[in-house]
Amino acid sequence: MKKVLLASALLVSASAMATAPGGSGCGWGSMLFAGKNGLPIHVLAATTNGITANNTFGMTSGTNGCSTDGSLTYGGKGLVNVGKIIDEFSEDVARGDGEAITAVAVSMGVTEADRSHFKQTLHTNFDSLFPSEDVTTEHVVSTMFAIMKEDQKLAKYVA
């Protein structure tokens, strides 16, 4: 149960896309509610697009105000958030094992075959991950990603 709670703390909603698939004006929902704002309007527009699937049709046919030319962006928080468990995570990294470091590995999709290597790599780089007591979560996550990108086995999880 504790692992489930830890994993839940690590994952955040991926529903806040900065640029919607098909572009910002894609679908009948955008057309019907153009110029309006607020949560209910956005929910109604998304629901209209979802129920009728007209944005999917628009993206494939280039109609309904849809375009697939731009790159999708994500405006939400990162999918790996160790902020809520930073103390337990730092202790696990120092030991090279534990529930928090396992939860982070699982949330990043590190296979069981590579988890020992993941844990050992973070343990070896403890001083880079946690250079001071005042380290920020952003530093820990960005450093962890940088370390993983440099590692032959772990690079595939952050590509």
Side-chain angles (χ1 to χ4, degrees):
M1 181 65 172
K2 191 174 180 180
K3 286 182 181 179
V4 172
L5 292 174
L6 284 171
S8 296
L10 298 173
L11 301 175
V12 294
S13 172
S15 63
M17 299 294 286
T19 299
S24 61
C26 180
W28 294 346
S30 298
M31 179 183 70
L32 289 172
F33 302 103
K36 298 181 179 170
N37 58 27
L39 176 63
I41 297 299
H42 281 265
V43 170
L44 285 171
T47 302
T48 300
N49 287 343
I51 290 173
T52 61
N54 66 79
N55 56 343
T56 303
F57 174 76
M59 285 187 274
T60 56
S61 65
T63 60
N64 294 337
C66 301
S67 171
T68 55
D69 293 340
S71 298
L72 295 176
T73 58
Y74 176 71
K77 293 181 179 179
L79 293 177
V80 176
N81 184 354
V82 297
K84 294 183 179 184
I85 59 165
I86 192 77
D87 292 337
E88 189 173 358
F89 181 65
S90 67
E91 292 169 9
D92 286 359
V93 171
R95 282 193 305 267
D97 198 11
E99 289 185 356
I101 195 170
T102 301
V104 170
V106 170
S107 73
M108 295 184 69
V110 176
T111 62
E112 194 166 339
D114 290 336
R115 282 188 203 145
S116 288
H117 182 71
F118 172 80
K119 293 173 183 178
Q120 183 59 44
T121 300
L122 294 189
H123 173 70
T124 303
N125 290 285
F126 179 86
D127 291 338
S128 298
L129 288 164
F130 300 96
S132 71
E133 289 183 20
D134 301 330
V135 68
T136 64
T137 302
E138 290 78 19
H139 171 83
V140 172
V141 172
S142 67
T143 304
M144 179 174 65
F145 282 12
I147 290 168
M148 292 175 71
K149 282 180 184 175
E150 296 296 319
D151 187 275
Q152 222 170 11
K153 275 187 167 179
L154 301 176
K156 63 186 170 191
Y157 299 108
V158 291

